[in-house]
Amino acid sequence: MGSPGYFPTYQPRLQPCTYPISIAGYEADIIIYGGTPAAISAAVQARRMRKSVIIVSPDKHLGGLSSNGLGFTDTGNKSTIGGIAREFYHRVYKHYQQPSAWPWQDPDDYGNIGQGTPAMDGRERTMWVFEPHVAEQIFEDFINEYQIPVYRNEWLDRKSGVSKNAGSITSIRTLSGKKFLGKMFIDATYEGDLMAAAGVSYQVGREASKVYNEEWNGVQVGVLHHGHYFKKASARTKYRESRPVAYYLAYPPFRPAGVAMATNASRPIASAFVLPRKRKPRGLYQTTGIRCLAV
């Protein structure tokens, strides 16, 4: 079985597969919309299951946040990270075993500090901190090894680009006019544009606890699971108690525990508590649909 924590790199045995381009459009068993790590992982798994797959990516660079600078992984309990995600971190580890991967720093000077765990874990043969270009190259390696066609900079026509039959998606069309047909469609974007365009129902914010009879859903007051709450809102306000973020981000302000964060898609997800003065104190900033205090 090998040493503890070791797992061999998956060696694909692929049969050449063709992707017919007919008058109808580009066709495969599975059409994946998105260029995120989830999109690539889904495509790799589809190929391992001997399915044809096409990635339709609105992005030019694959890898989403992982290849765009978010390389300090929130690992927590590493034993819960497996599958293709763990293969990714194993490949990161293999990359940084090469002397050529260290042009700016000697490996012996590397602090090896991760999120509560070593960044480079020799026992598990994984590495959890990496540079963006390393992540992007690993994703591109997956694409090349599994012969996955990727159509980049192809944005879904959200107004009329989704065709359905009996409630199931049959094809999607991008703004460039390309049409993609498949037996199954996967929305692997961060925004969920394909699902929204297909008319899939959704909830903005957290549902009330009574919707699914869940104790910890909805607004939570006085439940401090971690340090992500305001120790002191502002020296200029009278709100100085330690309160969880959800308490201040209820909409409208100061809702009781267990109620929904928002009731429909047309309203803001959340809004900060109302300050007693009209002038905004330093540190208060505005984002789309959300007001909160900088901490």
Side-chain angles (χ1 to χ4, degrees):
M1 295 297 291
S3 59
Y6 173 74
F7 53 94
T9 302
Y10 189 95
Q11 298 296 328
R13 296 181 179 177
L14 303 177
Q15 297 294 328
C17 64
T18 58
Y19 298 84
I21 302 176
S22 62
I23 297 177
Y26 302 80
E27 189 171 356
D29 293 327
I30 302 171
I31 304 296
I32 300 173
Y33 183 62
T36 63
I40 299 162
S41 298
V44 168
Q45 184 59 36
R47 293 295 287 123
R48 290 179 179 178
M49 298 173 69
R50 306 294 191 269
K51 303 297 182 182
S52 61
V53 60
I54 294 175
I55 292 179
V56 183
S57 173
D59 308 305
K60 294 181 180 179
H61 296 272
L62 298 180
L65 292 176
S66 294
S67 62
N68 280 274
L70 191 61
F72 198 64
T73 309
D74 295 316
T75 49
N77 184 352
K78 294 181 295 184
S79 65
T80 64
I81 303 175
I84 296 173
R86 196 170 184 86
E87 290 182 42
F88 170 83
Y89 292 110
H90 177 54
R91 293 188 182 211
V92 172
Y93 172 85
K94 289 173 61 179
H95 171 81
Y96 285 104
Q97 296 302 302
Q98 307 172 67
S100 60
W102 301 88
W104 313 112
Q105 181 183 33
D106 191 289
D108 294 334
D109 296 332
Y110 181 58
N112 201 31
I113 298 175
Q115 292 263 19
T117 185
M120 183 182 295
D121 191 330
R123 182 179 184 275
E124 298 291 334
R125 295 169 61 84
T126 52
M127 187 165 179
W128 309 93
V129 177
F130 50 86
E131 299 163 278
H133 75 272
V134 174
E136 183 174 13
Q137 185 58 57
I138 292 172
F139 290 129
E140 293 290 353
D141 289 343
F142 275 127
I143 293 299
N144 293 330
E145 291 169 20
Y146 287 90
Q147 306 169 23
I148 301 169
V150 180
Y151 292 86
R152 305 169 195 253
N153 199 27
E154 292 290 344
W155 294 78
L156 176 69
D157 182 346
R158 295 185 296 173
K159 292 184 177 180
S160 58
V162 178
S163 298
K164 298 190 296 182
N165 182 27
S168 297
I169 301 175
T170 56
S171 69
I172 62 173
R173 187 180 66 256
T174 60
L175 293 177
S176 70
K178 291 185 177 67
K179 187 176 182 179
F180 298 88
L181 299 89
K183 300 174 183 177
M184 178 178 291
F185 292 80
I186 296 176
D187 188 334
T189 62
Y190 291 125
E191 301 81 9
D193 283 344
L194 176 55
M195 290 190 292
V200 176
S201 61
Y202 60 94
Q203 167 77 23
V204 175
R206 299 167 64 178
E207 304 96 344
S209 57
K210 65 181 181 180
V211 175
Y212 298 108
N213 196 29
E214 297 175 289
E215 180 181 1
W216 298 113
N217 213 348
V219 174
Q220 297 296 317
V221 179
V223 182
L224 308 180
H225 294 296
H226 43 60
H228 297 170
Y229 58 92
F230 303 127
K231 307 298 190 299
K232 190 176 292 185
S234 171
R236 299 179 181 178
T237 73
K238 63 181 180 180
Y239 305 105
R240 299 185 180 182
E241 306 98 335
S242 295
R243 301 278 190 173
V245 169
Y247 185 88
Y248 294 117
L249 295 186
Y251 181 84
F254 302 119
R255 281 190 166 188
V259 301
M261 291 291 287
T263 55
N264 59 58
S266 64
R267 302 175 71 171
I269 294 176
S271 179
F273 58 89
V274 179
L275 297 173
R277 298 189 180 187
K278 293 182 180 180
R279 187 166 61 89
K280 295 179 181 179
R282 183 176 301 174
L284 185 65
Y285 61 91
Q286 180 75 39
T287 59
T288 304
I290 302 177
R291 293 176 62 204
C292 55
L293 283 174
V295 293

